[in-house]
Amino acid sequence: MFLVGRGIPNHITSLPQTVLNTPFGQMLRPQLDQAMRAVTQAPVSQPDIPALHGHTLHRPNGVATLGGASRGKEHIPGSIYEPTKIKQLEDLLASAKDTCAVIFFTSATCPPCKLLDPAYDELAARAGNRAVLIKVDLNEAYEIGAKYQVRVTPTFWTFLKGEKENEWEGANESQLRGNINLLTQMAYPTTHPHTLLRLRSLQEPSKPLIICTKVLPLDELVAKLGPSGSDPAVTALKDFIMHRRDSGAVDAPLPSLPDISSFILTSLRSLPAESLFGLIGLFRVALVDPRVSGYFAQDPQQTVPAIMGNVIHLGPKCPCELRIVTLETACNFFTSPLFPPRLLSEATYSTPLMELVTSSLLDPTHQLVRVAATSLAYNITAFNHQRRLDDQDDLLLENSQLELMASLIEAIGRERRSEGNMKGLLLAAGLLMFKASRDGELKDLCEAVGAKDIVAQVKGSFVGLGHLVEDIEQLMD
């Protein structure tokens, strides 16, 4: 009896798991998982393996429940199905003959697969009844593995209207999200033609917005202010930045933000432009904290429009450093969700914002000004683009879209030095055009200024941006 496992003491049968639970075992686990990885990359066809009792596991919105084999024919919106028999999988695919389906071939011994589980759960919840999302564990579903001959995990197959549409391998979350979003758009085409295009650069959720977190030497910034550097508002602002840097945001008490607002407004009227760089530099760093940016988004004194308006008022006389730090400050407005609705939709904020970014994109002398302006243009267009992906209305006013696009196209035509800056300009233009209102004037503007020809010339100067250029050319057709 002992030889077949009966009567073995628990402290012996649980020994492997006990070892794995130790710090040494946790250290070994990656190597053990990697060693087992080869199992998922070998053929899984083994005719002598006995068939297991079939079941289809469906997990509505991430909550696991077990159903019988008949579940394979029933599509519950937001569920992920885990069939173990060919018949169950075929029933699930048949239920998606008028829509679309995704098969995620995975394995219990595949660590990269586990990294994709949260994203796959989220995509299932978002897809609802528009798609059937399936997960096949090749360690359990021997019949399915033998038929489909999948040798690597993770592997994904997609089906559209009953026909296989795509196949890819690897644990690339962005690729997974982009391909499934495109699949559902193809299955349920909207009235906008852009959703039917295969655009590698513009249909995935936008990359993180650009936030300027670099902290310049604080004493040098304060020294720029001259005698005003000893004002209590400056001291409080500097102490807040240092405390936040050294102890973390949670432990950093906020200074008196109304006092700082009043000091900035007074300084804009009284200090020379060369001295303002230090003050706006301190303000930029403080805005990284969402509590600070959230306050100034609702600031009754409207400090932010005054800061942007000051640079516009100075025009060509504005020192290069002050214009750059003001553009970086505007990028940091996006650390609070309260700011974008005001920046993009309220004339008090959007008018100086657009004038600041468009004039800086076309700065004839300073490359660093143009680079900072491109970062701000990207933040503006990426935020608005994400709203379009979420089927929400634009926040960016149409006249602002036209003004920004005209400046972006002109800046693209002028850029000859920096591939990085050119990529930012192209991304901003593409994000602004993707799913733009078909009744608007954006496409007419692009045709009037010859935007497609200007963009096409980029391929000759910046070979590495060819795919992005091709995506934008599709939007302009």
Side-chain angles (χ1 to χ4, degrees), residues 215-430:
V215 180
L216 298 174
L218 298 181
D219 290 337
E220 292 183 16
L221 293 176
V222 173
K224 287 271 188 181
L225 293 169
S228 297
S230 60
D231 190 277
V234 176
T235 301
L237 188 57
K238 176 187 172 183
D239 289 346
F240 167 72
I241 293 171
M242 293 176 62
H243 198 157
R244 191 179 189 279
R245 179 192 63 192
D246 298 338
S247 304
V250 174
D251 295 325
L254 286 173
S256 174
L257 298 179
D259 289 349
I260 291 172
S261 172
S262 298
F263 179 78
I264 291 175
L265 291 172
T266 300
S267 300
L268 291 174
R269 295 188 295 267
S270 61
L271 291 180
E274 292 76 12
S275 299
L276 289 173
F277 167 77
L279 177 58
I280 305 305
L282 291 170
F283 183 57
R284 171 185 70 78
V285 178
L287 283 171
V288 172
D289 193 307
R291 297 172 297 172
V292 177
S293 56
Y295 170 83
F296 282 96
Q298 300 176 307
D299 173 26
Q301 300 189 78
Q302 297 189 336
T303 309
V304 164
I307 291 173
M308 295 187 291
N310 179 64
V311 172
I312 295 165
H313 174 72
L314 290 171
K317 297 180 180 179
C318 180
C320 173
E321 286 185 337
L322 178 58
R323 182 175 285 270
I324 291 173
V325 78
T326 303
L327 288 163
E328 293 175 343
T329 298
C331 287
N332 289 0
F333 296 155
F334 288 85
T335 57
S336 169
L338 300 176
F339 246 129
R342 305 200 75 176
L343 286 171
L344 306 186
S345 299
E346 295 185 19
T348 304
Y349 288 77
S350 65
T351 299
L353 177 70
M354 284 300 114
E355 193 166 348
L356 173 66
V357 68
T358 54
S359 62
S360 301
L361 283 170
L362 302 176
D363 186 288
T365 309
H366 304 101
Q367 175 73 8
L368 292 179
V369 169
R370 296 194 294 270
V371 170
T374 299
S375 297
L376 178 55
Y378 172 82
N379 279 7
I380 293 169
T381 56
F383 186 91
N384 200 64
H385 170 72
Q386 188 59 51
R387 288 183 62 86
R388 290 176 180 172
L389 290 180
D390 295 337
D391 295 324
Q392 296 178 307
D393 293 334
D394 285 355
L395 279 179
L396 189 60
L397 300 173
E398 184 174 16
N399 62 335
S400 297
Q401 295 184 33
L402 295 172
E403 186 179 358
L404 183 55
M405 180 61 84
S407 297
L408 286 168
I409 295 302
E410 186 172 351
I412 289 170
R414 293 183 181 185
E415 182 59 68
R416 292 292 181 269
R417 296 171 57 186
S418 170
E419 181 169 318
N421 195 50
M422 177 63 82
K423 182 178 180 180
L425 292 169
L426 290 171
L427 275 173

Side-chain angles (χ1 to χ4, degrees), residues 409 412 426 451-459 469 472 476:
I409 295 302
I412 289 170
L426 290 171
K452 187 175 180 180
D453 292 337
I454 293 173
V455 170
Q457 293 174 7
V458 173
K459 286 189 285 189
V469 170
I472 296 174
M476 293 181 174

Side-chain angles (χ1 to χ4, degrees), residues 156-224:
F156 296 88
W157 288 18
T158 59
F159 296 81
L160 179 64
K161 307 294 184 183
E163 300 292 332
K164 186 177 177 182
E165 188 268 338
N166 196 7
E167 175 183 348
W168 73 96
E169 301 170 354
N172 186 324
E173 182 177 331
S174 295
Q175 183 182 24
L176 173 65
R177 290 181 180 275
N179 285 349
I180 293 183
N181 287 337
L182 178 60
L183 180 71
T184 55
Q185 290 168 2
M186 293 169 66
Y188 292 90
T190 65
T191 56
H192 204 296
H194 288 174
T195 59
L196 301 179
L197 300 175
R198 187 174 285 276
L199 306 173
R200 285 164 286 191
S201 308
L202 305 173
Q203 286 176 315
E204 297 178 0
S206 300
K207 296 179 180 179
L209 301 181
I210 297 171
I211 306 300
C212 301
T213 58
K214 183 179 179 180
V215 180
L216 298 174
L218 298 181
D219 290 337
E220 292 183 16
L221 293 176
V222 173
K224 287 271 188 181

Side-chain angles (χ1 to χ4, degrees), residues 19 97 99 148 228 296:
V19 172
K97 61 181 175 56
T99 172
Y148 287 88
S228 297
F296 282 96

